Amino acid sequence: MSETVAARGRRVRVRCARVGVPLLALALLGAATACSREPSEKDLRAEATSPAARARRAAAERTADDLVRRLGAVGGLEHVLTRTVDTCAMPYDGSVFERTRSPDSLECGMRTEAYFGVRTDMPHVLARVRAARIADWGAPQDPDGNAVDSPTAAGSVAYALVYHRDHGRYGDGSLMPAPALEAPGLRIDWDRPHMPLPNLLAEPAPCPAAGSAVYRRCLTSPAAPAGVAAARSRFGTVLVLRVGGRDSAANEYFTVRRAP
C-alpha cells in the first residue's frame, strides 16, 4: 500500500526531531561553556578592589580634585558642591541580534561634577579661566591636533566671549551654537537664561543605587550642599565643571580584559 501524505509528514517530522534534539543540545552546551568562561561577579568585585584598581582610582580622583581646585581658584567663582560617581560595571554587549561584544569583562570609570556660583559677569570669569590654563579649550584645529583659541573655534574661550558679546547671534541674526567650553574629557557650562538659546543648569543627579554595579562610590562635598537652585538665588548664575562623563572614554581608569 502506498504511504499516505499524512504518514509521510509524520515520518519526516520524527526524523527532524531526532536530528534537531542533538543539535539543540550542542548549541546549549556551547552557550553554557561560553558563559562558564565569564568571570563571576565575586571575581569582578575582587578586581575592582584590587591594589591596581585602587591605585588608578586614587590617581583619577586626584586629577579630578586638582581640576576642581584650580577652577575654584579663579576669581569670581565660589564653590557650591562637587559630586563624584565612581563605578565599575560589566560592559553592555548588546542583544543577541547586535553581535557586539566588548573586549573587556569589567570597566571602571569616574565622573565628577563641580558647581560654582558666579559672583561677576561671565566674560570676566571666562577671561580668568583662560588665564588659569586649566585646559586647552576648543576643538583641535592646527596640524598637530592642538586646540586653537579662536572666535570661530567651537568650545574655545574666544568663541564663548564672542557669543556673550553678540548676545548669541551672528551678524545676519541667525543663532550661534552654545558656547560651553570643551576639552578632552572636560566641559564647562553655565546658566544663560536671557540668551536666544536659554540654558539653566539642573541639579546634579542623585547618587545611583549602591547595588546596581559591581562596585560603586558616590561622594558629595560638602556632605549637605545647598544645591544649584539655592546657589542661583544667591549668585544669579551657576557654572559647572564636568570631568569625564557618561559617554566619555577619558574618565575610564581601569579595565579587565576578557579571557581569550
Side-chain angles (χ1 to χ4, degrees):
M1 181 183 296
S2 61
E3 186 178 30
T4 65
V5 173
R8 187 182 305 116
R10 284 194 299 272
R11 182 165 53 82
V12 171
R13 286 195 296 272
V14 169
R15 185 186 305 151
C16 290
R18 288 172 179 170
V19 174
V21 169
L23 289 178
L24 177 61
L26 287 173
L28 292 174
L29 177 61
T33 302
C35 291
S36 67
R37 288 196 296 265
E38 295 294 333
S40 68
E41 186 167 332
K42 179 181 179 181
D43 292 336
L44 292 176
R45 189 172 292 109
E47 292 280 5
T49 56
S50 66
R54 291 201 304 269
R56 295 184 187 180
R57 180 174 295 121
E61 193 168 350
R62 284 194 299 270
T63 296
D65 289 347
D66 181 63
L67 290 166
V68 173
R69 179 189 57 77
R70 291 173 63 188
L71 184 59
V74 168
L77 295 180
E78 184 171 322
H79 181 257
V80 174
L81 74 97
T82 297
R83 176 160 293 162
T84 296
V85 178
D86 176 20
T87 303
C88 294
M90 293 174 285
Y92 174 65
D93 284 333
S95 69
V96 293
F97 304 105
E98 292 174 299
R99 295 185 178 181
T100 59
R101 193 166 189 258
S102 171
D104 303 321
S105 60
L106 183 71
E107 295 176 349
C108 297
M110 188 179 296
R111 69 180 188 271
T112 295
E113 293 182 337
Y115 293 81
F116 299 85
V118 180
R119 297 196 305 261
T120 185
D121 293 336
M122 272 307 303
H124 293 157
V125 170
L126 289 168
R128 292 166 183 167
V129 169
R130 171 198 277 159
R133 299 189 62 82
I134 296 168
D136 292 329
W137 303 107
Q141 286 194 337
D142 71 6
D144 296 325
N146 298 314
V148 177
D149 191 24
S150 162
T152 60
S156 70
V157 175
Y159 173 83
L161 289 170
V162 169
Y163 183 94
H164 277 274
R165 184 196 68 192
D166 297 341
H167 305 286
R169 292 188 181 274
Y170 291 114
D172 62 2
S174 60
L175 297 179
M176 299 175 69
L181 305 187
E182 301 273 3
L186 303 179
R187 179 181 171 90
I188 290 180
D189 203 359
W190 55 92
D191 290 335
R192 298 180 293 277
H194 306 300
M195 291 294 179
L197 293 176
N199 186 56
L200 279 179
L201 302 180
E203 299 285 344
C207 286
S212 58
V214 172
Y215 171 91
R216 175 164 284 152
R217 294 184 308 154
C218 185
L219 310 174
T220 303
S221 177
V228 172
R232 185 176 293 118
S233 297
R234 177 183 174 191
F235 297 100
T237 300
V238 179
L239 174 147
V240 63
L241 166 68
R242 294 188 171 96
V243 184
R246 195 179 302 271
D247 302 318
S248 172
N251 71 328
E252 193 174 275
Y253 63 82
F254 183 75
T255 59
V256 177
R257 287 292 197 186
R258 293 188 192 274

